[in-house]
Amino acid sequence: MTTSGDRAVRIFGHRYLALVLRIYLGSIFIYASMYKISYPLEFAENIASYQIVPYWAVNLMAIVMPWTELICGILLVVGLRSKSAVCMIGGMLVLFIVAISLALVRNIPIGCGCFHSMEEPMTWTTLLRDFVWLAMAVHVYTFDSALQLERRFLIQIKDE
Amino acid sequence: MTETGSERQHDRDQALRTREDLDRKIFYLRTLLDTSTELAGIVQPQKMLDTFLLMTMGPLGITTGLAGLVNVRLGSGHITSRGLEPADLETVRVNIPAIGLRYFTEAGTAENLTSRTRTIAREGLGVTRLFPSPVQTLFLWDLSGEYAGFLALGEKLTNRPLDDGDEELLLNLIQILKGAMNHALSVLNIQQLNAELLKKNQELEEAMGELNASREELDRRVFHLKTLSDLSSELSPLLDMDRLLRTFLMISMGALGVGQGFVIVQDRKARKVRSSAVGPVHEPVLDGHGCEQLIYQAFDACEIKSLAPGTVSRMGELSFLRQHGIEIDVELAFFFVIDASFMGVFALGPNILASLYSREEVELIVTQISSFMVYLQNARAFETIGALNEDLTRRNEELRQTIADLTEARHRITLLERARAHLRSLVQQEVERVGRPGLLDCALILLLATAIGVLFNLAAPQGIPLVPETLLRQRSATVNPQSAMRLAEEGVAVLVDARPKELYDQKHIRGAVNIPISLFDIMYMMKLSQVDSESPIVVYGRHVSRRYDEELAFRLKQRDHENVRILEGGLQAWEAEGYPVQ
């Protein structure tokens, strides 16, 4: 029992699992940023629809956020500054969760705007999905150590 | 003398005998005079004995006689005879030492030798047989000093024995002989002394000559030693090879009075040739090969061919020196060997007197060269030490430079190690930093995203303004909910909801028309195109993120609607007034 439990813990906390989740999260964010970068006006409308961001900051956020997602996604995939990147991704997921939660609580009939503007209205499932992604981010933050470009390079210098 | 006769005849015969005696005495005296005269001029003992014997035998009428002179100490003597057989004479001659021993020494006779004369008759001679038988009477006498003499006489012609008169005559004759012999011996002694004196003088002269020669030799040696001393005192402080050569040449030439000279040395090990010349000559310039050839020819011309260190050898053949540019009338040249790799040639021209060099001068030169070689060796050793010192100094300098380089390198290594440690700490920090998130990273990501996003947005055709345009436009005129309600009830004004359709569907003012901004053109054509441009239009719909009413009012004004008002407070104020919503 203990052995299987330890094995489960070991598998759960395995660095390659964290690597897979890291690449997955990074890919998700890269993919999500593509549409938002291509259609900033629609994304601005999505942001505005949440009725959280002040109206003067909506456009700026619509311009900056997709690029932030893209850069963090790339950093996660290549394993460069992955801790900071996963933190920012986690922060954005928390922000999304808060926004979605508020929207759901306030019953604002909007799509989440995560990937496309023409989405179905968000539901609690959307919120759960974001929680799952947040859990993945926490896992990556905790257990990720494999195939980190930066760490690999620095450790080589350190070992000389 | 025996007297015979009677007394009678005595008187008669007395006169005759007296006369005879007188005649005999006269005869004897004459004999003595003649003998004395004859012996006076004779100095040779042999001749004196001959004359004495003749002068003795003649007057006495004796036929056989023998006279001798004996050196008692030496056992030798002179002997002469008359009427004696040669064999008998030889016998006596042989017996001279025995005669001396028998008659003239204290052991041989009971009588002391005195200056008197002894007479021994025949009967007294029988035992010894030192004299031949004809001898009847022997007279012995001694002379001063170591000489003695004898006279041996035979019988008279008359066969009568010697009477007293004869014996007295003989004794007197012997006395004369002794006097003459003493004189002669004295003369001989004087002559001998004179000869010895002359010999001594000659020896003294020879000794003086030798003394003078020794003095000259001594002077020469003193001169040599002084020359060598001067040479040593002049050469000893010199350590420079060229000055050494020059000084040696000058001193040697000065000591011998020579006007031209030349010296050259070759150090094969150091590959150096040094030379010096004095006199009306051009100093030859010899390179290593030329000097090598000169040294070889000099060695070949040596009388003694030896390469042992310290050798100084005189050269016989000198003509080859001119082939090497030594334009000196070389009279004397030497080849010297300091060691197997250090040799030289020393050449001198004629001296001032144009005379040949003496053996002593050659010896002096050889000695000078020997001393010179010592100083040459010292100078070379000094040069070697100097070179070693220079080498040592250079090596010290190199070592110092190396130490400085090493110190600098060590300093550099220290710096590099510090840098490395710093880098390691930086890397360590970086590695540690990689393991944790950083605000700086987040800020950089945000900054990068902002920069790229803004630049991309500016360049992209679908770019949007950074801030809403409504923020920059002039605010539209507003109308409070009461007025709006009144205008709506009067049917004058048109209420327009500018929000998206989803929000409109949730709640809107009753009777309001929904014209979302995104569908403005279509919805305007459908719902407001018939509205008069002067009719009041009340627009509402905004939230924290959007001001739809401002945008819609702006667009309506672009469609020439002049009386477009924005509802103050929006839907919330409307509801707060209790006005109907739907």
Side-chain angles (χ1 to χ4, degrees), chain B residues 212-312:
Chain B
N212 286 332
S214 298
R215 180 177 292 170
E216 286 177 3
E217 177 70 14
L218 197 62
D219 289 344
R220 187 176 60 78
R221 295 212 176 266
V222 167
F223 174 69
H224 284 192
L225 287 173
K226 188 174 182 307
T227 307
L228 288 174
S229 171
D230 292 344
L231 185 71
S232 297
S233 61
E234 290 287 339
L235 295 185
S236 59
L238 297 179
L239 293 170
D240 178 64
M241 194 79 82
D242 293 327
R243 287 186 62 196
L244 196 65
L245 290 175
R246 185 78 180 170
T247 307
F248 168 71
L249 195 58
M250 296 296 287
I251 291 175
S252 294
M253 290 170 62
L256 298 168
V258 181
Q260 301 176 356
F262 166 73
V263 62
I264 185 168
V265 291
Q266 186 194 26
D267 189 347
R268 289 183 181 176
K269 201 179 287 180
R271 298 179 182 278
K272 285 182 181 175
V273 176
R274 287 188 172 89
S275 63
S276 183
V278 172
V281 294
H282 296 294
E283 191 162 330
V285 179
L286 286 174
D287 56 2
H289 178 69
C291 187
E292 187 89 17
Q293 199 174 4
L294 171 66
I295 294 288
Y296 177 77
Q297 288 179 332
F299 175 71
D300 193 44
C302 282
E303 293 169 353
I304 302 169
K305 292 182 172 57
S306 170
L307 285 175
T311 301
V312 180

Side-chain angles (χ1 to χ4, degrees), chain A residues 25-70:
Chain A
L25 268 181
S27 305
I28 289 289
F29 271 79
I30 291 169
Y31 173 70
S33 67
M34 292 293 114
Y35 155 75
K36 296 169 186 173
I37 288 170
S38 301
Y39 302 99
L41 184 61
E42 285 78 356
F43 184 56
E45 286 302 325
N46 280 333
I47 291 171
S49 64
Y50 281 93
Q51 300 179 28
I52 297 171
V53 182
Y55 80 97
W56 52 265
V58 169
N59 285 8
L60 193 60
M61 194 170 180
I63 291 169
V64 173
M65 184 174 281
W67 284 101
T68 305
E69 291 176 358
L70 178 64

Side-chain angles (χ1 to χ4, degrees), chain A residues 16-122:
Chain A
Y16 286 118
L17 177 61
L19 172 66
V20 172
L21 296 179
R22 195 186 81 201
I23 293 172
Y24 169 74
L25 268 181
S27 305
I28 289 289
F29 271 79
I30 291 169
Y31 173 70
S33 67
M34 292 293 114
Y35 155 75
K36 296 169 186 173
I37 288 170
S38 301
Y39 302 99
L41 184 61
E42 285 78 356
F43 184 56
E45 286 302 325
N46 280 333
I47 291 171
S49 64
Y50 281 93
Q51 300 179 28
I52 297 171
V53 182
Y55 80 97
W56 52 265
V58 169
N59 285 8
L60 193 60
M61 194 170 180
I63 291 169
V64 173
M65 184 174 281
W67 284 101
T68 305
E69 291 176 358
L70 178 64
I71 290 171
C72 289
I74 291 172
L75 290 178
L76 266 189
V77 169
V78 300
L80 190 65
R81 316 306 297 173
S82 54
K83 289 282 183 186
S84 299
V86 82
C87 278
M88 288 200 71
I89 282 175
M92 282 189 285
L93 284 170
V94 170
L95 187 65
F96 296 157
I97 287 168
V98 170
I100 290 169
S101 301
L102 284 175
L104 288 173
V105 169
R106 287 156 66 181
N107 195 25
I108 299 173
I110 54 173
C112 80
C114 300
F115 300 101
H116 300 285
S117 60
M118 302 301 285
E119 284 178 324
E120 293 181 355
M122 61 183 173

